[in-house]
Amino acid sequence: MVTKPVIVGRSSSHFTRVARIFAAELNVDCDFRVVQNLMASDPSDYGGNPALKMPTLLTSQGAWFGALPICRELARQSSLRPRIVWPEDLDTPLLSNAQELTLQAMATGVALTLGKVSGVPEENAHRIKMQQSLLGTMAWLDMHVAELSRALPVDRDFSFLEVTLFCAVTHFEFRAVVAISSYPALKAFAESFSVRPSASATNYRFDP
Ligand SMILES: N[C@@H](CCC(=O)N[C@@H](CS)C(=O)NCC(=O)O)C(=O)O
């Protein structure tokens, strides 16, 4: 029987960091269980996720797969009631596309990083296409990020969009997936978000 919730993931994973930032913002005390081997093919290594992905949140109710469902469950468990902007609240093309592109960039970043470590050649056509996809997405986000903060509700405490964008940008810098210096507006956004205690408490590092 699980009493205290457990986040299963890695300190170097951007989707895991999204869940950890939400836990910190919502003041939900969670244990952290490290996925030891990224190449493991047993779902139990990922908190039971048959898709072999992290994060997973283990609660007394059961296991929750994926960053967004985990963040929603953390919000339900929290005694705090902050004004959170969720993806379904993003009712303009600008905000909706920014969320879609941020999540797609995160997924593409995972595929590129895993392709690199597992020896996919640089000249592989799909790897080249994914790099193009990521560069185009980063350029779009860099062009629009300043508008996002103005377009989001002013009374928000935080949004899933900003948390995911922060985790994506800082992860790409941490893993040298793209040169963040080429995206000054995204860099400035990440710097301003990084002052939050939830951000500094979840800095990327490689688990031993
Ligand atoms: N849809 C999942 C995606 C999670 C995901 O891709 N996580 C990465 C780590 S950031 C992962 O599990 N990578 C291991 C792998 O793909 O084998 C979510 O939203 O949490």
Side-chain angles (χ1 to χ4, degrees):
M1 176 70 120
V2 181
T3 44
K4 191 168 167 183
V6 181
I7 294 175
V8 181
R10 288 185 67 81
S11 308
S12 52
S13 142
H14 48 1
F15 282 106
T16 302
R17 191 178 191 183
V18 172
R20 295 180 92 187
I21 287 181
F22 264 72
E25 292 284 348
L26 289 158
N27 201 24
V28 178
D29 187 21
C30 295
D31 281 332
F32 187 56
R33 184 184 303 167
V34 174
V35 174
Q36 296 292 347
N37 174 12
L38 263 188
M39 293 302 141
S41 54
D42 184 338
S44 66
D45 288 302
Y46 303 84
N49 187 340
L52 311 178
K53 294 283 182 185
M54 68 190 97
T56 295
L57 179 73
L58 305 178
T59 68
S60 52
Q61 230 188 318
W64 303 82
F65 306 143
L68 178 57
I70 289 173
C71 292
R72 292 192 201 278
E73 174 55 15
L74 290 169
R76 284 188 291 267
Q77 289 202 10
S78 176
S79 57
L80 305 179
R81 286 288 169 265
R83 167 79 163 101
I84 303 172
V85 179
W86 296 104
E88 61 271 25
D89 302 322
L90 305 176
D91 57 0
T92 64
L94 170 75
L95 291 170
S96 176
N97 293 342
Q99 183 69 81
E100 167 62 19
L101 290 175
T102 300
L103 292 173
Q104 186 55 59
M106 291 171 79
T108 304
V110 170
L112 281 169
T113 305
L114 287 175
K116 199 167 163 186
V117 298
S118 57
V120 176
E122 276 183 29
E123 63 277 14
N124 177 277
H126 189 240
R127 183 170 163 179
I128 292 168
K129 184 184 173 188
M130 282 195 293
Q131 273 160 348
Q132 284 307 117
S133 158
L134 189 56
L135 294 177
T137 298
M138 292 297 284
W140 189 98
L141 289 167
D142 192 60
M143 196 186 300
H144 292 96
V145 66
E147 285 171 72
L148 298 181
S149 0
R150 291 194 294 272
L152 284 164
V154 281
D155 63 343
R156 73 192 182 284
D157 290 294
F158 55 97
S159 63
F160 189 76
L161 173 57
E162 289 162 298
V163 175
T164 47
L165 186 57
F166 171 73
C167 292
V169 171
T170 48
H171 190 258
F172 296 154
E173 185 164 42
F174 172 68
R175 295 301 302 248
V177 179
V178 294
I180 292 301
S181 54
S182 306
Y183 306 102
L186 285 175
K187 197 168 161 24
F189 159 77
E191 277 165 9
S192 71
F193 194 93
S194 70
V195 301
R196 298 181 86 102
S198 61
S200 48
T202 55
N203 277 327
Y204 289 120
R205 63 184 181 84
F206 291 108
D207 296 303

